[in-house]
């Protein structure tokens, strides 16, 4: 092997390695290649992906946190807008509990497109009501 070939090997990874680096399945990497979202070359039977192309893919990869609705960022945390999953993580509860709270009206949420948006003020109100209820239950019990 020439020195140039060794350097090329170090700067390229297999589909399996790319999947591990991106924390996705091998199938997700195959799909990205087939959709021309990730550049890769096929040498006989194996795909190789340059680390630079993998970085470029990671930078442009879809993220729900980058979702836009009518020109505005959906989950603009700086403006106090959060997704159901973000709120669930903040409260350390399952996302289904947050969906249930919105369904029964205990937590106000607004729909923008296909996404549910929860504002910080609505979250604080829910926490106050929810925590006040738990505190009362503990005092009674």
């Amino acid at each position: 092997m020439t020195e140039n070939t060794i350097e090329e090997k170090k700067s390229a990874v297999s589909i399996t390695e790319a999947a591990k680096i991106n924390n996705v399945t091998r199938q997700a990497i195959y799909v990205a290649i087939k959709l021309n979202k990730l550049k890769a070359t096929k040498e006989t039977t194996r795909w190789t992906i340059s680390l630079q192309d993998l970085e470029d893919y990671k930078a442009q990869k879809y993220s729900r946190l980058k979702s836009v609705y009518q020109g505005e960022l959906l989950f603009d945390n700086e403006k106090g807008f959060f997704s159901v999953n973000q709120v669930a993580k903040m409260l350390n509860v399952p996302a289904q509990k947050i969906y249930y709270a919105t369904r029964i009206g205990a937590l106000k949420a607004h729909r923008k497109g296909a996404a549910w948006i929860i504002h910080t003020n609505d979250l604080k109100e829910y926490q106050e009501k929810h925590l006040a209820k738990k505190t009362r239950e503990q005092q009674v019990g």
Side-chain angles (χ1 to χ4, degrees), residues 4 12 18 21-23 27 39 75 104 113 119 135:
N4 192 25
I21 291 168
N22 270 18
N23 200 26
Q27 186 63 34
K39 293 178 189 172
F75 309 114
I104 64 170
H119 193 268
T135 305

Side-chain angles (χ1 to χ4, degrees), residues 57-139:
Y57 169 70
K58 283 170 81 172
Q60 60 87 32
K61 190 170 89 167
Y62 170 78
S63 168
R64 188 129 195 252
L65 298 178
K66 298 178 193 173
S67 294
V68 176
Y69 180 74
Q70 294 181 348
E72 288 185 11
L73 195 60
L74 275 177
F75 309 114
D76 193 344
N77 298 159
E78 290 178 12
K79 292 183 180 178
F81 296 103
F82 296 91
S83 70
V84 169
N85 286 328
Q86 288 174 319
V87 169
K89 284 181 184 174
M90 291 162 63
L91 297 179
N92 200 24
V93 298
Q96 283 307 115
K97 185 168 186 157
I98 302 302
Y99 280 115
Y100 179 74
T102 61
R103 199 168 39 251
I104 64 170
L107 174 59
K108 292 179 190 170
H110 307 280
R111 194 134 179 140
K112 287 189 178 180
W116 284 102
I117 310 298
I118 300 167
H119 193 268
T120 306
N121 297 338
D122 298 326
L123 178 58
K124 285 178 185 173
E125 185 180 317
Y126 172 71
Q127 284 178 302
E128 289 168 6
K129 287 180 183 178
H130 184 69
L131 292 176
K133 182 181 175 185
K134 281 198 173 209
T135 305
R136 283 195 304 270
E137 287 174 0
Q138 288 173 351
Q139 289 173 350

Side-chain angles (χ1 to χ4, degrees), residues 15-73:
I15 285 185
T16 303
E17 292 167 322
K20 285 179 184 175
I21 291 168
N22 270 18
N23 200 26
V24 296
T25 63
R26 292 178 70 226
Q27 186 63 34
I29 298 296
Y30 279 120
V31 169
I33 292 168
K34 293 298 178 194
L35 294 175
N36 293 323
K37 292 183 177 187
L38 175 58
K39 293 178 189 172
T41 55
K42 193 169 188 178
E43 297 169 7
T44 58
T45 60
R46 293 182 181 242
W47 287 97
T48 57
I49 303 159
S50 82
L51 290 174
Q52 183 57 53
D53 288 337
L54 192 58
E55 284 301 315
D56 293 345
Y57 169 70
K58 283 170 81 172
Q60 60 87 32
K61 190 170 89 167
Y62 170 78
S63 168
R64 188 129 195 252
L65 298 178
K66 298 178 193 173
S67 294
V68 176
Y69 180 74
Q70 294 181 348
E72 288 185 11
L73 195 60

